[in-house]
Amino acid sequence: MEERKMKKYSIIIAAVLALAACSREELPVNEQPAGNPVYTMTVKATKSADNALTRALEIKDGSLEATWTEGDVVKIFDASDNEIGSLTAQGSGATVTLKGSMENTVKANDVLTLKFLGNEYGSHDGTLTGTGKSIDKVCDYSTASITVSEIKDGIVTTSEANFERPQAIIKFTLKDGSSNINPSSLSMKYGETEVNLADIPAETYSTNGEGVIFVAVPCEKSGQDVSISAVAGGDDYFLEKTGVTFEKGKYYSITANMTKGFSLNSVNGDITLKDGYTLTGTLDGYEQPYKISIAAGAKVTLKDATINGYDSYDYTWSGITGEGDATITLEGDNVVKGFYERFSGLRVPDNSTLTINGEGTLDVSSNGMAAGIGSAMWDNSGCGNIVIEGNPVIKATGGKTAAGIGSCWTSNNFINNKCGNITIKGGTITAIGGHGGAGIGTAYGSTGSYLSTCGDITITGGTIIATGGYFAAAIGGGGGSETDKYTRSYYSVGDITITEGVTKVVATKGEGKISEGGFSYAPAAIGHGLDYYINGMETSPRHHVGTVTVGSNQGSIFESPYTYEP
């Protein structure tokens, strides 16, 4: 890290030598010419030995040196920040004369501000030197505050000016592992200040060196959060740090180890996670209503990521949507909530497989009516296979008419609402069904033509705590409301298999039962949901559950809560 120091200049007005003999006790002259006054100023700007910053920026002996270039313009501003004139460099080098004028009403003791900005200030491409829009043309910025001490014969004498640079210039060497990366665009935030470098030309790196880019950052505050987003070779990268202080007027050299992926703190549009990407940060769905997708076949990592979807019909998508097979590795603590209420927290399309693994946690839900992990209550928005393995800690909560993991309510308005096979090999899984939804399994459909379905449910490892919603099994089928028991309890579940490899399974069926004709009907803990025609359960077209096997036992489990701990 190299320090860039400030530069002091003497502001010497023409005829100042003739006034030097004036006594300190004399009052300052405050001459105001009639009409529209025009004052002239001749300023001697001398570069001191402390490597202050003005023009022609270059690295020399580890410092960022600067000199003036003929034609440089210093603008003059009054106390209200109105531009009132300018001075122009009459030559080049460390010491030059600046001449110019200002047209305004000024008086003794007025405080003026001098600002130097590069001719193309505000749109740099990260190049420090060289041809084109190099940083010395577009990022050089320094200011000085001066006090008017005397006005006589249209000539202004002021106090000495101490030019300070309100920016730091940072030399970043960007890396992905051991390899340097050359971004085509880069955005950096330092606190509330944002610097954007768009369309960075390739010659920037032939000038600077591989992976090297310079950023000029205004830095009025200390202890700020820093985030960098970049695109290189078609891939997205990010870096985040907290409590960073860049001091104005200084030069820093930093190696930035970038992570491939996105920080949700900085995204400003829909994003797609590619293979090898990491997702972190927080997405506020109200302020950032963006769709988060996973490319088909990609393996990605969620690392302390929070997606707070916002419930609006304008945002008809899940919290995370897979475009095909997808693998999610959990690190840290993660939260995913769907957007529009009829969309799930996590979903992959039919005939695809979503695999979740890792050591982190995940709290996943819809925003009202769909599954936590699984299908959406939307036309042709079923879900493929779901596999959970490794040692993740997952809490999946179903919406009003949906399973925690599985499918949700379906009707002629929302066809093809199904979930594929559900396989749990490890982890600690808590699955909670909504009204009529199983913890793991299905919800219910409105007719025999519109079933809420899921494939086989196989649990071979881990600790599973499953709770069914009203009229629904903990693991298995769902159930309709009591008033709709004849017309809205259609579901289909494949085989349910729980092996001796599990650590523990706790299954609690949903509340609700029907008593008619001296008989009482209620859902099972593991197996069917509420089935009015309970004796014809296995063959009825209204309801279907395949073979239920728990350890060495076969058949639905009615005891609730039921604990299986081999």
Side-chain angles (χ1 to χ4, degrees):
M1 185 180 302
E2 302 289 343
E3 179 176 325
R4 300 190 62 190
K5 300 181 181 179
M6 304 303 166
K7 176 179 182 178
K8 294 183 179 180
Y9 298 95
S10 296
I11 307 300
I12 305 173
I13 309 305
V16 67
L17 294 179
L19 298 171
C22 292
S23 167
R24 291 182 179 271
E25 286 72 29
E26 289 183 288
L27 294 176
V29 177
N30 187 18
E31 179 183 286
Q32 294 292 332
N36 193 23
V38 176
Y39 306 116
T40 59
M41 300 176 68
T42 301
V43 180
K44 182 180 180 182
T46 302
K47 180 180 182 297
S48 64
D50 58 1
N51 297 327
L53 308 176
T54 52
R55 283 291 281 162
L57 304 178
E58 63 178 349
I59 296 176
K60 184 177 181 181
D61 297 328
S63 299
L64 201 58
E65 297 280 350
T67 55
W68 292 96
T69 297
E70 185 174 5
D72 283 348
V73 175
V74 174
K75 296 181 179 180
I76 308 169
F77 295 83
D78 63 17
S80 299
D81 205 34
N82 298 310
E83 184 178 343
I84 61 174
S86 63
L87 304 167
T88 303
Q90 303 301 299
S92 299
T95 301
V96 297
T97 298
L98 308 177
K99 291 184 177 181
S101 63
M102 57 183 177
E103 185 173 339
N104 206 331
T105 300
V106 294
K107 58 184 182 298
N109 297 321
D110 279 357
V111 176
L112 307 178
T113 300
L114 305 182
K115 298 181 182 181
F116 173 79
L117 292 84
N119 294 332
E120 302 174 70
Y121 178 78
S123 180
H124 66 280
D125 66 7
T127 305
L128 180 66
T129 58
T131 59
K133 291 189 174 183
S134 55
I135 205 166
D136 68 304
K137 295 182 179 178
V138 296
C139 289
D140 199 12
Y141 179 27
S142 56
T143 64
S145 179
I146 59 175
T147 300
V148 175
S149 57
E150 186 176 66
I151 304 171
K152 188 174 181 62
D153 298 329
I155 299 175
V156 179
T157 302
T158 70
S159 62
E160 187 176 84
N162 179 18
F163 273 79
E164 292 187 340
R165 184 182 184 83
Q167 297 186 112
I169 286 187
I170 306 159
K171 174 189 176 183
F172 285 111
T173 301
L174 305 176
K175 287 184 171 293
D176 176 9
S178 60
S179 302
N180 290 3
I181 58 174
N182 296 338
S184 56
S185 64
L186 182 143
S187 176
M188 175 178 174
K189 288 190 70 175
Y190 176 73
E192 296 301 315
T193 300
E194 186 167 359
V195 179
N196 292 298
L197 282 65
D199 300 322
I200 303 172
E203 52 266 27
T204 297
Y205 304 104
S206 60
T207 300
N208 295 347
E210 288 292 307
V212 177
I213 197 164
F214 295 85
V215 182
V217 181
C219 44
E220 295 300 322
K221 297 180 180 180
S222 61
Q224 300 296 294
D225 293 341
V226 171
S227 63
I228 302 174
S229 301
V231 177
D235 289 327
D236 304 276
Y237 292 87
F238 72 92
L239 172 69
E240 290 186 323
K241 296 290 183 181
T242 59
V244 176
T245 297
F246 292 127
E247 295 184 29
K248 59 185 179 181
K250 292 189 176 180
Y251 165 64
Y252 299 85
S253 180
I254 297 173
T255 297
N257 295 306
M258 308 290 286
T259 299
K260 189 176 291 186
F262 294 99
S263 168
L264 292 168
N265 301 326
S266 304
V267 300
N268 54 12
D270 297 346
I271 61 172
T272 298
L273 305 177
K274 299 179 183 179
D275 189 44
Y277 273 24
T278 294
L279 186 70
T280 192
T282 299
L283 183 82
D284 180 338
Y286 180 76
E287 297 290 341
Q288 301 165 285
Y290 307 132
K291 184 176 181 180
I292 312 300
S293 301
I294 300 176
K299 297 179 180 180
V300 304
T301 298
L302 297 191
K303 184 177 182 180
D304 295 315
T306 297
I307 300 173
N308 287 318
Y310 179 68
D311 179 14
S312 170
Y313 187 78
D314 293 329
Y315 313 136
T316 52
W317 52 77
S318 296
I320 296 179
T321 303
E323 296 177 348
D325 292 341
T327 298
I328 297 174
T329 298
L330 301 176
E331 293 185 10
D333 297 323
N334 303 277
V335 177
V336 177
K337 180 183 286 188
F339 280 78
Y340 182 46
E341 64 176 359
R342 293 180 175 176
F343 280 79
S344 54
L346 283 173
R347 187 180 75 85
V348 294
D350 293 342
N351 303 314
S352 300
T353 298
L354 169 65
T355 301
I356 303 174
N357 59 32
E359 301 287 329
T361 71
L362 173 64
D363 187 339
V364 58
S365 64
S366 75
N367 222 324
M369 301 178 74
I373 304 173
S375 66
M377 193 185 298
W378 202 252
D379 192 14
N380 292 311
S381 292
C383 181
N385 304 315
I386 299 168
V387 177
I388 300 174
E389 59 188 12
N391 194 33
V393 178
I394 298 174
K395 179 182 178 181
T397 305
K400 296 175 184 177
T401 52
I405 301 174
S407 59
C408 52
W409 177 64
T410 187
S411 72
N412 57 334
N413 294 319
F414 310 110
I415 64 173
N416 194 29
N417 192 328
K418 62 183 180 181
C419 178
N421 298 324
I422 300 171
T423 303
I424 300 175
K425 301 178 181 180
T428 300
I429 314 302
T430 301
I432 303 169
H435 186 109
I440 302 171
T442 73
Y444 57 94
S446 62
T447 72
S449 299
Y450 303 104
L451 297 175
S452 179
T453 69
C454 80
D456 295 336
I457 300 173
T458 305
I459 303 174
T460 61
T463 297
I464 288 68
I465 302 171
T467 304
Y470 202 75
F471 284 159
I475 302 172
S481 65
E482 185 169 355
T483 57
D484 295 325
K485 60 183 178 290
Y486 297 107
T487 60
R488 299 179 69 181
S489 296
Y490 291 83
Y491 60 81
S492 176
V493 182
D495 293 338
I496 300 174
T497 303
I498 300 175
T499 73
E500 294 180 354
V502 301
T503 301
K504 180 193 287 189
V505 174
V506 179
T508 304
K509 67 183 180 181
E511 297 180 356
K513 65 181 180 179
I514 297 173
S515 298
E516 290 188 14
F519 295 94
S520 180
Y521 308 105
I526 301 175
H528 66 78
L530 179 67
D531 189 341
Y532 184 71
Y533 298 99
I534 193 163
N535 293 326
M537 179 185 62
E538 298 299 335
T539 59
S540 168
R542 294 167 57 88
H543 320 278
H544 173 76
V545 175
T547 301
V548 178
T549 304
V550 180
S552 60
N553 300 316
Q554 284 199 346
S556 295
I557 304 293
F558 292 91
E559 178 186 345
S560 180
Y562 170 74
T563 299
Y564 177 63
E565 193 170 7

